[in-house]
Amino acid sequence: DSGVTQTPKHLITATGQRVTLRCSPRSGDLSVYWYQQSLDQGLQFLIQYYNGEERAKGNILERFSAQQFPDLHSELNLSSLELGDSALYFCASSSPGSNQPQHFGDGTRLSIL
Amino acid sequence: AQTVTQSQPEMSVQEAETVTLSCTYDTSESNYYLFWYKQPPSRQMILVIRQEAYKQQNATENRFSVNFQKAAKSFSLKISDSQLGDTAMYFCAFMKHVIGRDSNYQLIWGAGTKLIIKP
């Protein structure tokens, strides 16, 4: 158990819809990262938050947005969903410091019908 | 720009054999961190091992060890006495220091190597 909690585990929805994925980081971790992993692909970094502030953006579409709340949990919002958005979405968290690895949640599997 | 290359898309070995997965990276930094993550069929991402560049000693975690060659920018993962449960995708990652208003660290990921352990 990594200590990172993601909900829901599975999500099935239709094209054009909007969904929200939720992540609770490990206790004490201030950084939250979101990744997208399509089938049999590597990890695509989407966005990072540190203590409530956006720190870095990767290949995140304009239809996607995220935020980190004062209690440090984070939400990833995906809107106007397309078939190609079907993927496994991971949240990871890390402690402050240069040598701290990222610890991953179990992911949310999003299926667009 | 920093990059991470895993040149072996897929490997397979017999159970109990030793296998080495390769990873090379490109950076101009002198101090950094490297990681190996494992993703079994369950799709969880699990940290396997990490190496600090300023340490010459290779990191070891039970049956997992690394061969870190700083000059060659190589960071291979050796799995000894491989087990069926080692079947997974293995990702190499380099921790990049992003210099800016606020110090920040991000992981640069390789494309992964699919490892199959055969009974």
Side-chain angles (χ1 to χ4, degrees):
Chain A
D1 182 9
S2 68
V4 179
T5 303
Q6 287 189 249
T7 57
K9 290 192 184 304
H10 301 278
L11 201 48
I12 302 174
T13 189
T15 56
Q17 296 298 305
R18 173 188 170 93
V19 297
T20 297
L21 313 183
R22 182 188 169 100
C23 170
S24 293
R26 290 188 324 157
S27 177
D29 286 359
L30 301 181
S31 281
V32 169
Y33 308 80
W34 286 98
Y35 292 91
Q36 179 192 57
Q37 186 180 36
S38 301
L39 190 63
D40 293 333
Q41 299 291 314
L43 290 170
Q44 292 293 322
F45 168 66
L46 295 178
I47 197 164
Q48 177 202 358
Y49 279 82
Y50 178 85
N51 203 21
E53 292 187 3
E54 182 185 304
R55 272 293 177 90
K57 261 186 175 180
N59 299 322
I60 187 166
L61 299 173
E62 293 218 0
R63 301 183 284 108
F64 296 1
S65 64
Q67 53 184 327
Q68 186 179 29
F69 295 87
D71 67 352
L72 300 178
H73 91 270
S74 179
E75 293 181 355
L76 179 67
N77 301 295
L78 315 176
S79 61
S80 303
L81 287 167
E82 302 175 357
L83 294 176
D85 297 328
S86 294
L88 187 56
Y89 290 84
F90 282 109
C91 167
S93 72
S94 68
S95 302
S98 61
N99 64 340
Q100 298 305 312
Q102 293 179 18
H103 297 271
F104 284 75
D106 289 345
T108 293
R109 186 178 300 278
L110 176 63
S111 299
I112 312 299
L113 303 179
Chain B
Q2 288 100 340
T3 57
V4 177
T5 302
Q6 294 181 250
S7 58
Q8 304 148 313
E10 185 169 326
M11 298 181 70
S12 67
V13 298
Q14 294 294 136
E15 191 177 8
E17 289 183 350
T18 293
V19 59
T20 299
L21 310 183
S22 67
C23 173
T24 58
Y25 57 94
D26 186 26
T27 183
S28 58
E29 297 179 13
S30 59
N31 193 24
Y32 46 86
Y33 300 87
L34 296 157
F35 303 88
W36 278 97
Y37 282 83
K38 163 185 176 179
Q39 188 177 37
S42 64
R43 306 292 300 270
Q44 292 175 304
M45 287 290 288
I46 303 165
L47 176 65
V48 175
I49 200 165
R50 62 176 155 178
Q51 175 77 42
E52 300 176 56
Y54 67 87
K55 288 188 176 179
Q56 293 193 351
Q57 186 174 7
N58 290 323
T60 299
E61 290 285 344
N62 301 314
R63 298 182 295 106
F64 298 85
S65 61
V66 299
N67 182 4
F68 175 49
Q69 302 288 330
K70 191 173 183 180
K73 296 180 182 175
S74 170
F75 180 59
S76 59
L77 175 69
K78 185 172 87 169
I79 306 174
S80 303
D81 185 27
S82 58
Q83 301 174 359
L84 297 178
D86 296 332
T87 292
M89 281 288 288
Y90 286 82
F91 293 96
C92 175
F94 167 92
M95 184 163 278
K96 165 184 167 182
H97 181 206
V98 179
I99 298 173
R101 178 175 63 86
D102 302 299
S103 186
N104 196 24
Y105 298 90
Q106 295 174 27
L107 285 176
I108 308 299
W109 296 86
T113 295
K114 184 175 184 179
L115 176 64
I116 299 169
I117 309 299
K118 297 181 287 187

